[in-house]
Amino acid sequence: MGERAANRLFDTFNFIFLTVCVLVCLAPFVHIIAISLSSSRSIVSGEVSLFPIEINFEAYARVFSDTSMIRSLGFTVLLTALFTVLCMSMTIAAGYPLSKTNLKGRKSIMVIIMITMFFSGGVIPEYILVRNLHLLDTIWALVLPGMINPFYLIILISFLNGIPTSLEESAEIDGSSHFNTLFKIILPLSLPVIATLSLFYAVGRWNGFTDTLMYITSPNMYPLQLKLYQLIQNNMISDLMQMEGTQRVMTQPESLKSASVIFATVPILIVYPWLQRYFVSGVMLGAVKG
Amino acid sequence: MIATAYLRRYWQLYALLLLPLAYIIVFKYGPMYGIQIAFKDFNFFQGIGGSKWIGFDAFKEVFHMHDFFKTLRNTLMLNLLDLVVSFPAPLILAIMLFELRTVWFKKFSQTILYIPHFISWIIIGGIVYQVFGTQSGMINNIITSLGFDAIPFLTDKYDWLVTYLLVGVWQSAGWGTIIYLAALTGINKELFEAAEVDGAGRMKRIWHITIPGIKPTIVTLLIINLGNMISIGFDRPYVIGNAAVRDFSEVLSTFVYRIGLESGQYTLATVVGFFQAIVGLVFVLGANYASKKLTDESIL
């Protein structure tokens, strides 16, 4: 076989291989969408795989008419927005001074922050701290403990170090204060990394679950993930009980659960393509430095 | 006087640092102060300071718990198997993406492959249930319609293990390619051209140029992964796990949650968490040292 034919064969195989990978990535989502649009009868009888059967929008109608679901979505949007803005502000407030290599005390402060990357008090002492600060069952329990991610801070600092210092120096000669330089020169130049880190903070908060499970007890403060978890957990339990031969407990219809899953995923999928070109370069920057 | 001049010039930078530092000290070092609970008979009425010292009694109790060793074993087992299964996946995927000549398809598949990384484990848990469930899961529907017996993917512990690992690959493989692709673009293009002139085929080029070119990245990532052997996320085993497979799915993080926050044994749970933090720190420092020795690259 000639070199050319071998290359052609490789390319064809590669194309097929990646197509299969892409399909494997998408198939579960397609299945969930199909379930959410199908009738209960067809789901229970196991007819639904990738295409909806006996299409209806009942599940979505129920999700959108469920006030607790809508409130949960609203709360999660508010929480994510608040969290992202505060996290980014704090990360920038720390990152800008720490990007100045000549700042006195910079090294010690970096060490203080870096230590928290590798050692922490653990879940229980964190819980007791949050409890002692009377933050349990408030939005602040989900906002304050996670505000500066040291790894993201390092990504920001290495980005800021890449900005030519001559820009800042000339501003300084013109009498610009540090605050002014930060807002007028540095931040506009840092949009790609700010977009990247904001996406990471926002997705982390949107998807966050452990802390909601520990810190939130009142149902009207449930973020989406916690609410979804309870829907899904009921499912698991009923599946187990049926395994053991007991009667199937009445649970929410599968289509409603699937519709809720889609409902909680769509916001991320809407934001994601817009920010994708930023985060790829952002992660690469972090990867090279980290 | 120089000091005041320095401060006058830079006070704004220090002012910016105040809030972040206060935050780090309260919310990151605050819990470290709380670690003393591990050595105390803690209860909320007396607080951290007021509770009685008990020395290493709680450590002795934990090290006599059968469940503790089971969760320790599970943590190491799940992480080790995950390393074997999930580590090579992004490497292979990245090489295949790198070799792809069709630009639009390359961009398209990257976009799709990254998506699972952005989906929460709760949602993945819901999807896993719909796909692998015994009663009406997609895969079992197909299996039974072909006339075979349904496979208890979620309720038999060995089948569950496979499900857990496969879902991990699905979630992380695409995202993991980013670092490799960054390293791949750093390889000198002339090497590939020279190899082509010398008549090396695609496989030969991958074997002799591509893989050696990203070897430092592979080794570094491998070492970091080994360093994280004892740390394990909470969400994935908690959500995919269930009572029927507790024998395998109970890991240190879920164990801490259960004995601490569900049954209120704060001292014991703190001991387990502290043990995990110390061992984790030793692993990470060891991994960093090994990485420095082997590849001249370190993470610290």
Side-chain angles (χ1 to χ4, degrees), chain A residues 7 104 112 145 210 225 272, chain B residues 6 14 23 29 111 120 202 235:
Chain A
N7 277 348
K104 287 194 172 108
I112 290 174
T210 315
Q225 306 298 335
Y272 166 84
Chain B
Y6 180 85
Y14 289 105
Y23 159 74
Y29 286 86
T111 303
S120 78
R202 296 289 276 279
D235 298 10

Side-chain angles (χ1 to χ4, degrees), chain B residues 93-112:
Chain B
L93 210 52
I95 290 173
M96 294 310 251
L97 280 168
F98 187 67
E99 289 291 330
L100 207 60
R101 298 289 164 90
T102 329
V103 177
W104 72 266
F105 185 65
K106 184 174 174 174
K107 287 199 168 141
F108 170 77
S109 38
Q110 278 179 282
T111 303
I112 302 296

Side-chain angles (χ1 to χ4, degrees), chain B:
Chain B
M1 273 297 105
I2 296 166
T4 45
Y6 180 85
L7 271 182
R8 190 169 303 150
R9 192 166 162 204
Y10 288 106
W11 71 269
Q12 293 171 320
L13 295 180
Y14 289 105
L16 276 172
L17 275 169
L18 276 181
L19 214 53
L21 268 181
Y23 159 74
I24 295 275
I25 286 162
V26 172
F27 282 97
K28 298 291 170 186
Y29 286 86
M32 291 187 202
Y33 167 82
I35 289 175
Q36 55 177 290
I37 295 166
F39 305 94
K40 288 190 161 188
D41 183 17
F42 176 77
N43 72 56
F44 274 111
F45 298 106
Q46 291 159 326
I48 295 176
S51 296
K52 256 203 338 268
W53 290 99
I54 53 167
F56 283 92
D57 287 1
F59 283 82
K60 280 180 207 149
E61 196 176 337
V62 165
F63 293 139
H64 280 106
M65 282 164 101
H66 171 67
D67 277 359
F68 171 72
F69 287 102
K70 201 169 76 183
T71 55
L72 182 62
R73 178 206 70 186
N74 288 348
T75 307
L76 296 173
M77 173 181 78
L78 291 183
N79 277 335
L80 201 65
L81 290 174
D82 220 21
L83 186 68
V84 173
V85 178
S86 290
F87 188 78
L91 180 62
I92 295 165
L93 210 52
I95 290 173
M96 294 310 251
L97 280 168
F98 187 67
E99 289 291 330
L100 207 60
R101 298 289 164 90
T102 329
V103 177
W104 72 266
F105 185 65
K106 184 174 174 174
K107 287 199 168 141
F108 170 77
S109 38
Q110 278 179 282
T111 303
I112 302 296
L113 291 168
Y114 296 155
I115 287 178
H117 174 80
F118 290 92
I119 304 299
S120 78
W121 279 109
I122 308 306
I123 287 179
I124 294 176
I127 295 175
V128 163
Y129 174 82
Q130 299 283 17
V131 173
F132 292 99
T134 321
Q135 300 308 322
S136 56
M138 179 171 73
I139 294 180
N140 270 323
N141 283 344
I142 294 168
I143 291 176
T144 46
S145 72
L146 293 174
F148 298 101
D149 286 338
I151 299 171
F153 289 108
L154 299 172
T155 46
D156 171 82
K157 59 185 187 179
Y158 293 99
D159 291 328
W160 177 84
L161 199 56
V162 175
T163 313
Y164 176 91
L165 295 172
L166 288 180
V167 174
V169 174
W170 180 81
Q171 195 256 359
S172 65
W175 185 249
T177 61
I178 290 188
I179 289 180
Y180 290 122
L181 286 170
L184 285 168
T185 49
I187 298 176
N188 192 345
K189 291 277 178 299
E190 284 170 19
L191 288 175
F192 291 107
E193 282 157 17
E196 209 167 339
V197 173
D198 290 347
R202 296 289 276 279
M203 295 310 283
K204 277 219 167 95
R205 268 182 282 158
I206 291 175
W207 193 249
H208 293 291
I209 302 174
T210 312
I211 292 180
I214 54 172
K215 209 169 128 198
T217 313
I218 301 173
V219 175
T220 310
L221 286 178
L222 188 65
I223 288 172
I224 293 174
N225 268 305
L226 284 170
N228 287 330
M229 265 302 125
I230 196 149
S231 68
I232 189 163
F234 175 85
D235 298 10
R236 181 176 166 201
Y238 188 75
V239 171
I240 302 182
N242 57 66
V245 294
R246 187 73 34 93
D247 258 3
F248 278 178
S249 71
E250 183 88 302
V251 291
L252 287 168
S253 56
T254 55
F255 185 59
V256 168
Y257 173 76
R258 265 185 245 281
I259 62 169
L261 299 180
E262 276 184 356
S263 18
Q265 296 171 295
Y266 294 98
T267 298
L268 293 183
T270 309
V271 167
V272 176
F274 183 53
F275 169 82
Q276 192 182 7
I278 292 290
V279 176
L281 188 65
V282 171
F283 272 43
V284 167
L285 293 178
N288 188 59
Y289 178 77
S291 172
K292 224 181 232 168
K293 282 271 147 168
L294 291 171
T295 63
D296 262 352
E297 280 186 57
S298 64
I299 40 174
L300 296 181

